[in-house]
Amino acid sequence: MDSGTLRILVVDDDADACNILSHVIAHLGHSAECIQDSVEALPRLLREHFDVVLLDLVMPGLSGFDLLRATHAGQERPAAVIAVSSYHEFRHQAAEQGFHAFVDKPVEIGKLRPLLDKLIPSA
């Protein structure tokens, strides 16, 4: 991957949301992978490095808040984690718990692009 491409993991239990976000991320020139099961996402997040993780906040098994706590605890270079939710009341809680940003569902490309652009490592 070149220095302008981010490796992004989307964790969302909604298959349609995963597909849409993957297409949006690819359209923006980045690499996207999706996991629909938050419990299966945890070991992957602990052993692999992603530049950005887009986490749905409300999922069965582990919530996005649970995943953030579990993965940031022992990582040297934690990924930038963006909360993705249709529950606007979680915006403040997401900021308090260390999410880099909060994006409303359905995700608009115009709102996601500037967030990702800020995270691209300089060459």
Side-chain angles (χ1 to χ4, degrees), residues 9-40:
L9 180 67
V10 177
V11 182
D12 195 317
D13 61 314
D14 181 323
D16 290 336
C18 256
N19 290 332
I20 290 167
L21 278 170
S22 290
H23 288 323
V24 166
I25 291 164
H27 177 76
L28 294 173
H30 304 294
S31 168
E33 296 178 50
C34 280
I35 297 180
Q36 289 177 249
D37 184 319
S38 61
V39 175
E40 288 180 19

Side-chain angles (χ1 to χ4, degrees), residues 27-120:
H27 177 76
L28 294 173
H30 304 294
S31 168
E33 296 178 50
C34 280
I35 297 180
Q36 289 177 249
D37 184 319
S38 61
V39 175
E40 288 180 19
L42 181 57
R44 187 105 187 263
L45 286 165
L46 291 172
R47 76 174 177 264
E48 295 181 46
H49 176 73
F50 294 92
D51 299 304
V52 180
V53 178
L54 297 176
L55 279 183
D56 183 13
L57 293 180
V58 179
M59 296 180 282
L62 296 169
S63 72
F65 294 108
D66 295 333
L67 282 173
L68 179 74
R69 281 189 295 276
T71 58
H72 273 200
Q75 289 184 334
E76 283 181 32
R77 293 183 320 155
V81 183
I82 298 172
V84 181
S85 184
S86 56
Y87 295 95
H88 310 290
E89 60 270 22
F90 289 134
R91 181 181 298 276
H92 184 69
Q93 184 181 355
E96 285 179 340
Q97 292 198 23
F99 282 89
H100 286 76
F102 182 98
V103 177
D104 293 308
K105 279 185 175 182
V107 175
E108 295 175 29
I109 195 168
K111 293 189 178 176
L112 188 58
R113 180 191 307 266
L115 293 173
L116 296 179
D117 287 350
K118 284 187 214 175
L119 299 171
I120 296 172

